[in-house]
Amino acid sequence: MSRMMQKWVVAQPGVQHLNIEESPVPTPAANEILVRVSAVSLNYRDLGVIAGEDGAPSMPFPLTPGSDMAGVVVAAGENVTRFREGDEVIGTFWAGWIDGDWPEHARVVGGKLPGVLAEYIVLHEDWAVHAPRSLDAVRASTLPCAGLTAWFALVEKGALHAGQTVVVQGTGGVALFGLQLARAHGAEVIVTSSSRDKLARALALGATHAIDRLEHPRWDELVRELTGGRGADHVFELAGGDNLGASLRALRQGGRISLIGVLGELSMTLPSVPSFLTRPVIQGIGVGHRRALEALVRAVDATKIEPVVDTAYSFHKLPEALQHLERGAFGKVVVKMVG
Ligand SMILES: NC(=O)c1ccc[n+]([C@@H]2O[C@H](COP(=O)([O-])OP(=O)(O)OC[C@H]3O[C@@H](n4cnc5c(N)ncnc54)[C@H](OP(=O)(O)O)[C@@H]3O)[C@@H](O)[C@H]2O)c1
């Protein structure tokens, strides 16, 4: 009789349709690895996938959600060369984006492809990298999406360097990775938040300045003041809508805005003439490729950055973890599978 395992399944769109199911532990085929999952880091996107809002018509319900995991290789199929049994790994967010331009055949794990909220998963060996040596599984699980997104925006595509100023909006997963990576590179960081308590925690984490965005809806004016009128070199656009106009006003001439998030609205608008005069470099970010994830892992080991995990919930507490994500966490919310 085959060994059984538990996994979360959402039968049809809606968090109320999430249930734990039993199924046989899968067997890795050629070029696949069987991974015992240790921790799964949740992303804002997971809420949309479970609710059926994220590409729902083409989502293969019933589905197992979750994109980001850290785990241990417990078996390898034929011809596997990248990993051995016992290796600690983290998955890639994109299955099939290895380097260079995003290939159209790439799919997201935990969307079109089965997700990682399961005790065991099989992955093509190309869809995983060695985990950082310096992090436990809970922290390591946060790198594939939130960590890589910030790295791709600032380092892979952003030419970040010491002396620059980076603005991050809010204190969620992507924003705090941006903060930590920017500080590790010698840049200054201005963080905006709706919570005074979270601003204090961001300052303790190394932010140079903190702006209460509820108290200062024109937070861009404060950014200009804090940068001596020059404006910021990099801005993470995480909210969408008219907020992009504020990001532009906060930017120095020729500075860079990374279009990343839609926490407020799905579309983004810019005023035309100020855009001409500011000459922004506007780059869209779609997480990133495997080569950059490997570079981030090396950087984390070298700098000893410790990703910020607000709370780690047990496997059975996924619904509570999702509610926390919806309320807004300081950094990441993680589901811990073992121990
Ligand atoms: N394009 C990509 O590659 C990519 C990759 C990852 C994530 N994303 C997207 O990026 C966004 C952030 O993701 P995340 O995982 O970091 O989210 P998260 O961890 O859930 O961050 C939520 C935090 O963002 C802040 N926030 C919420 N609404 C805001 C608003 N209207 N304006 C400014 N800040 C706001 C709040 O911080 P305070 O409580 O401190 O105010 C909230 O706690 C999401 O839209 C996500 O889908 C995109």
Side-chain angles (χ1 to χ4, degrees), residues 108-127:
V108 178
V109 174
K112 291 271 169 59
L113 294 174
V116 296
L117 276 159
E119 289 180 300
Y120 292 87
I121 54 167
V122 285
L123 291 176
H124 191 286
E125 63 169 327
D126 281 344
W127 307 348

mmCIF file of all heavy atoms in Angstrom, residues 108-127:
data_model
loop_
_atom_site.group_PDB
_atom_site.id
_atom_site.type_symbol
_atom_site.label_atom_id
_atom_site.label_comp_id
_atom_site.label_asym_id
_atom_site.label_seq_id
_atom_site.Cartn_x
_atom_site.Cartn_y
_atom_site.Cartn_z
ATOM 1 N N VAL A 108 3.391 29.317 -12.995
ATOM 2 C CA VAL A 108 3.604 29.548 -11.560
ATOM 3 C C VAL A 108 3.248 28.281 -10.784
ATOM 4 O O VAL A 108 2.191 27.683 -11.001
ATOM 5 C CB VAL A 108 2.744 30.724 -11.059
ATOM 6 C CG1 VAL A 108 2.943 30.917 -9.563
ATOM 7 C CG2 VAL A 108 3.089 32.005 -11.803
ATOM 8 N N VAL A 109 4.136 27.909 -9.876
ATOM 9 C CA VAL A 109 3.838 26.820 -8.946
ATOM 10 C C VAL A 109 2.795 27.354 -7.964
ATOM 11 O O VAL A 109 2.967 28.422 -7.387
ATOM 12 C CB VAL A 109 5.134 26.409 -8.197
ATOM 13 C CG1 VAL A 109 4.833 25.373 -7.123
ATOM 14 C CG2 VAL A 109 6.174 25.891 -9.186
ATOM 15 N N GLY A 110 1.690 26.633 -7.800
ATOM 16 C CA GLY A 110 0.634 27.138 -6.912
ATOM 17 C C GLY A 110 -0.314 28.044 -7.667
ATOM 18 O O GLY A 110 -0.692 29.118 -7.204
ATOM 19 N N GLY A 111 -0.676 27.641 -8.842
ATOM 20 C CA GLY A 111 -1.582 28.393 -9.711
ATOM 21 C C GLY A 111 -1.936 27.423 -10.827
ATOM 22 O O GLY A 111 -2.679 26.464 -10.622
ATOM 23 N N LYS A 112 -1.308 27.638 -11.971
ATOM 24 C CA LYS A 112 -1.526 26.689 -13.075
ATOM 25 C C LYS A 112 -0.943 25.317 -12.718
ATOM 26 O O LYS A 112 -1.435 24.295 -13.157
ATOM 27 C CB LYS A 112 -0.849 27.218 -14.338
ATOM 28 C CG LYS A 112 -1.506 28.457 -14.919
ATOM 29 C CD LYS A 112 -2.594 28.081 -15.899
ATOM 30 C CE LYS A 112 -3.446 29.254 -16.303
ATOM 31 N NZ LYS A 112 -2.748 30.341 -16.930
ATOM 32 N N LEU A 113 0.129 25.329 -11.922
ATOM 33 C CA LEU A 113 0.760 24.069 -11.513
ATOM 34 C C LEU A 113 0.422 23.781 -10.051
ATOM 35 O O LEU A 113 0.180 24.711 -9.280
ATOM 36 C CB LEU A 113 2.288 24.172 -11.665
ATOM 37 C CG LEU A 113 2.806 24.324 -13.088
ATOM 38 C CD1 LEU A 113 4.317 24.551 -13.073
ATOM 39 C CD2 LEU A 113 2.475 23.081 -13.906
ATOM 40 N N PRO A 114 0.422 22.501 -9.646
ATOM 41 C CA PRO A 114 0.117 22.176 -8.250
ATOM 42 C C PRO A 114 1.021 22.938 -7.289
ATOM 43 O O PRO A 114 2.219 23.110 -7.545
ATOM 44 C CB PRO A 114 0.403 20.667 -8.185
ATOM 45 C CG PRO A 114 0.281 20.189 -9.591
ATOM 46 C CD PRO A 114 0.692 21.329 -10.471
ATOM 47 N N GLY A 115 0.438 23.406 -6.185
ATOM 48 C CA GLY A 115 1.182 24.207 -5.221
ATOM 49 C C GLY A 115 1.881 23.374 -4.163
ATOM 50 O O GLY A 115 1.880 22.133 -4.216
ATOM 51 N N VAL A 116 2.443 24.079 -3.186
ATOM 52 C CA VAL A 116 3.376 23.441 -2.254
ATOM 53 C C VAL A 116 2.822 23.269 -0.839
ATOM 54 O O VAL A 116 3.550 22.846 0.049
ATOM 55 C CB VAL A 116 4.697 24.245 -2.222
ATOM 56 C CG1 VAL A 116 5.376 24.203 -3.580
ATOM 57 C CG2 VAL A 116 4.469 25.688 -1.779
ATOM 58 N N LEU A 117 1.537 23.583 -0.621
ATOM 59 C CA LEU A 117 0.958 23.395 0.724
ATOM 60 C C LEU A 117 0.594 21.917 0.911
ATOM 61 O O LEU A 117 -0.566 21.529 0.999
ATOM 62 C CB LEU A 117 -0.239 24.307 0.917
ATOM 63 C CG LEU A 117 0.160 25.733 1.358
ATOM 64 C CD1 LEU A 117 -0.938 26.743 1.057
ATOM 65 C CD2 LEU A 117 0.529 25.764 2.843
ATOM 66 N N ALA A 118 1.625 21.111 0.934
ATOM 67 C CA ALA A 118 1.491 19.660 1.025
ATOM 68 C C ALA A 118 2.698 19.125 1.786
ATOM 69 O O ALA A 118 3.742 19.772 1.837
ATOM 70 C CB ALA A 118 1.446 19.056 -0.373
ATOM 71 N N GLU A 119 2.533 17.935 2.380
ATOM 72 C CA GLU A 119 3.683 17.383 3.124
ATOM 73 C C GLU A 119 4.817 16.982 2.186
ATOM 74 O O GLU A 119 5.987 17.099 2.538
ATOM 75 C CB GLU A 119 3.220 16.188 3.963
ATOM 76 C CG GLU A 119 2.361 16.607 5.149
ATOM 77 C CD GLU A 119 1.913 15.428 5.984
ATOM 78 O OE1 GLU A 119 1.218 14.540 5.438
ATOM 79 O OE2 GLU A 119 2.264 15.396 7.183
ATOM 80 N N TYR A 120 4.450 16.492 1.012
ATOM 81 C CA TYR A 120 5.455 16.110 0.010
ATOM 82 C C TYR A 120 5.036 16.676 -1.341
ATOM 83 O O TYR A 120 3.845 16.713 -1.660
ATOM 84 C CB TYR A 120 5.559 14.582 -0.125
ATOM 85 C CG TYR A 120 6.133 13.902 1.095
ATOM 86 C CD1 TYR A 120 5.306 13.523 2.149
ATOM 87 C CD2 TYR A 120 7.496 13.639 1.197
ATOM 88 C CE1 TYR A 120 5.824 12.909 3.278
ATOM 89 C CE2 TYR A 120 8.030 13.026 2.323
ATOM 90 C CZ TYR A 120 7.192 12.666 3.363
ATOM 91 O OH TYR A 120 7.706 12.068 4.473
ATOM 92 N N ILE A 121 6.017 17.062 -2.143
ATOM 93 C CA ILE A 121 5.729 17.500 -3.514
ATOM 94 C C ILE A 121 6.795 16.926 -4.453
ATOM 95 O O ILE A 121 7.908 16.623 -4.008
ATOM 96 C CB ILE A 121 5.748 19.049 -3.655
ATOM 97 C CG1 ILE A 121 7.077 19.617 -3.128
ATOM 98 C CG2 ILE A 121 4.571 19.691 -2.936
ATOM 99 C CD1 ILE A 121 7.298 21.065 -3.503
ATOM 100 N N VAL A 122 6.434 16.772 -5.715
ATOM 101 C CA VAL A 122 7.476 16.477 -6.709
ATOM 102 C C VAL A 122 7.677 17.726 -7.556
ATOM 103 O O VAL A 122 6.722 18.449 -7.876
ATOM 104 C CB VAL A 122 7.144 15.282 -7.635
ATOM 105 C CG1 VAL A 122 7.305 13.962 -6.936
ATOM 106 C CG2 VAL A 122 5.784 15.428 -8.260
ATOM 107 N N LEU A 123 8.924 17.990 -7.868
ATOM 108 C CA LEU A 123 9.282 19.136 -8.705
ATOM 109 C C LEU A 123 10.259 18.657 -9.763
ATOM 110 O O LEU A 123 11.093 17.779 -9.486
ATOM 111 C CB LEU A 123 10.011 20.207 -7.884
ATOM 112 C CG LEU A 123 9.248 20.992 -6.832
ATOM 113 C CD1 LEU A 123 10.226 21.918 -6.107
ATOM 114 C CD2 LEU A 123 8.122 21.805 -7.471
ATOM 115 N N HIS A 124 10.193 19.233 -10.946
ATOM 116 C CA HIS A 124 11.293 19.033 -11.898
ATOM 117 C C HIS A 124 12.552 19.595 -11.224
ATOM 118 O O HIS A 124 12.480 20.623 -10.535
ATOM 119 C CB HIS A 124 10.990 19.786 -13.199
ATOM 120 C CG HIS A 124 11.923 19.422 -14.311
ATOM 121 N ND1 HIS A 124 13.234 19.867 -14.348
ATOM 122 C CD2 HIS A 124 11.751 18.641 -15.405
ATOM 123 C CE1 HIS A 124 13.822 19.380 -15.421
ATOM 124 N NE2 HIS A 124 12.944 18.625 -16.089
ATOM 125 N N GLU A 125 13.664 18.931 -11.420
ATOM 126 C CA GLU A 125 14.871 19.388 -10.723
ATOM 127 C C GLU A 125 15.273 20.814 -11.127
ATOM 128 O O GLU A 125 15.980 21.496 -10.393
ATOM 129 C CB GLU A 125 16.041 18.421 -10.949
ATOM 130 C CG GLU A 125 16.482 18.306 -12.388
ATOM 131 C CD GLU A 125 17.801 17.560 -12.533
ATOM 132 O OE1 GLU A 125 18.656 17.672 -11.637
ATOM 133 O OE2 GLU A 125 17.975 16.890 -13.566
ATOM 134 N N ASP A 126 14.777 21.269 -12.270
ATOM 135 C CA ASP A 126 15.097 22.639 -12.691
ATOM 136 C C ASP A 126 14.326 23.687 -11.886
ATOM 137 O O ASP A 126 14.598 24.880 -12.019
ATOM 138 C CB ASP A 126 14.749 22.830 -14.176
ATOM 139 C CG ASP A 126 15.811 22.244 -15.071
ATOM 140 O OD1 ASP A 126 16.924 21.977 -14.572
ATOM 141 O OD2 ASP A 126 15.530 22.043 -16.268
ATOM 142 N N TRP A 127 13.323 23.248 -11.114
ATOM 143 C CA TRP A 127 12.457 24.193 -10.414
ATOM 144 C C TRP A 127 12.835 24.343 -8.946
ATOM 145 O O TRP A 127 11.996 24.664 -8.093
ATOM 146 C CB TRP A 127 10.988 23.768 -10.512
ATOM 147 C CG TRP A 127 10.488 23.527 -11.891
ATOM 148 C CD1 TRP A 127 11.106 23.861 -13.068
ATOM 149 C CD2 TRP A 127 9.271 22.884 -12.262
ATOM 150 N NE1 TRP A 127 10.350 23.468 -14.138
ATOM 151 C CE2 TRP A 127 9.208 22.868 -13.672
ATOM 152 C CE3 TRP A 127 8.211 22.326 -11.535
ATOM 153 C CZ2 TRP A 127 8.147 22.302 -14.366
ATOM 154 C CZ3 TRP A 127 7.143 21.762 -12.223
ATOM 155 C CH2 TRP A 127 7.128 21.758 -13.629
#
